[in-house]
Amino acid sequence: MKILIVEDEKGLAEALGEILRREGYSVELAFDGKSGLEKALTGKYDCMILDIMLPLMNGLDVLSYIRVKEIDMPVLLLTAKSEVEDKINGLDCGADDYLTKPFETGELLARIRAIARRISQATDINPKFGDIVLDLKKFELICGINTVVLGRKELRMLEILISNTGHIVTKESFVNEIWENSDESAYNNVEVYISFLRKKLQLVHSRVHIKTRRGLGYCLEVS
Ligand code: CA
């Protein structure tokens, strides 16, 4: 899990970074709101620890901005004891949790672990079969360390195949679920998209195959 810490008290930021690294997290630091925002907008972090009182841009503004940009990583706000109102504002503008300074290391780690648990539960909703996982949010087909981006229709087709494991999915059901009109071109499209999916399964070196049952439809198999 990759964590971004945005905190202008350098000593505190670095100490937090050290503690989290020792727990096995990968950590990056930013010491003001603006550079914190720039880093957050890259979208490469799983979680952000965000101080409220920051130079250049305050934490609550950083938070509202990333939520507007639909970056939905969990955010743990750090607030000074006097900033009770900020807590409420923080939760209103999309923070997941807050911690009042000064805090115990154990408390911080517990909150981070809770966030990590929530993240892994969220990824559990992604359909899996054999050695593949579909990331429904990122439109990705994942097999071990290999990833390939799927088109909207490809993703939906593979999702349907996975949810019907052990059964044959007919061309009709693909057409009904995915294409708006059910003329002949839609039926031909099913074949085309199946061949795209087969190529992408090969690309990620998956052992999962889409088997054609002649005259019936398609099903998934693991070789
Ligand atoms: Ca501060």
Side-chain angles (χ1 to χ4, degrees):
M1 191 161 95
K2 219 173 157 75
I3 303 175
L4 174 62
I5 300 176
V6 190
E7 165 63 74
D8 60 314
E9 289 165 58
K10 270 196 174 172
L12 175 60
E14 274 155 11
L16 285 180
E18 239 347 272
I19 290 163
L20 291 168
R21 280 191 199 104
R22 252 185 274 139
E23 294 290 312
Y25 300 109
S26 123
V27 179
E28 276 189 45
L29 307 178
F31 303 115
D32 65 74
K34 243 178 118 183
S35 63
L37 175 64
E38 273 164 26
K39 280 183 191 274
L41 289 176
T42 62
K44 63 177 185 179
Y45 304 95
D46 301 300
C47 167
M48 173 159 67
I49 298 174
L50 179 63
D51 187 27
I52 291 183
M53 296 294 284
L54 287 168
L56 300 181
M57 186 173 189
N58 83 54
L60 293 178
D61 289 342
V62 172
L63 181 55
S64 338
Y65 198 86
I66 66 163
R67 291 304 188 228
V68 167
K69 293 286 175 188
E70 291 184 351
I71 291 182
D72 58 359
M73 68 174 152
V75 172
L76 174 61
L77 277 182
L78 301 182
T79 70
K81 226 176 190 137
S82 55
E83 300 163 334
V84 179
E85 210 153 278
D86 282 341
K87 289 177 192 172
I88 297 150
N89 283 337
L91 295 173
D92 276 350
C93 70
D96 296 80
D97 205 352
Y98 62 85
L99 206 52
T100 311
K101 291 190 206 176
F103 49 82
E104 306 263 333
T105 306
E107 182 62 29
L108 174 79
L109 290 175
R111 303 292 179 93
I112 295 289
R113 271 195 294 270
I115 286 172
R117 256 198 315 276
R118 284 205 294 275
I119 293 172
S120 74
Q121 275 162 5
T123 53
D124 280 350
I125 62 160
N126 287 327
K128 297 181 183 76
F129 177 72
D131 55 7
I132 59 169
V133 181
L134 283 186
D135 188 325
L136 299 179
K137 269 193 162 170
K138 292 186 181 158
F139 286 74
E140 282 174 353
L141 167 61
I142 302 159
C143 178
I145 55 163
N146 302 311
T147 299
V148 67
V149 174
L150 298 177
R152 191 171 290 275
K153 290 191 170 72
E154 293 170 335
L155 182 86
R156 187 73 191 108
M157 281 180 93
L158 202 46
E159 197 188 351
I160 293 170
L161 282 165
I162 291 175
S163 66
N164 287 284
T165 301
H167 301 278
I168 291 167
V169 181
T170 61
K171 271 189 186 178
E172 287 81 7
S173 43
F174 282 128
V175 169
N176 292 339
E177 291 258 3
I178 301 171
W179 277 271
E180 275 158 21
N181 51 342
S182 54
D183 57 18
E184 197 165 330
S185 69
Y187 282 80
N188 292 334
N189 273 334
V190 173
E191 283 172 31
V192 172
Y193 278 85
I194 288 286
S195 76
F196 290 163
L197 277 177
R198 283 180 173 142
K199 285 197 185 105
K200 291 193 172 175
L201 284 166
Q202 280 176 5
L203 212 63
V204 295
H205 306 295
S206 172
R207 287 164 42 234
V208 173
H209 299 278
I210 303 173
K211 195 110 181 128
T212 306
R213 299 281 178 205
R214 240 167 240 305
L216 297 171
Y218 304 92
C219 63
L220 286 184
E221 277 186 7
V222 185
S223 65

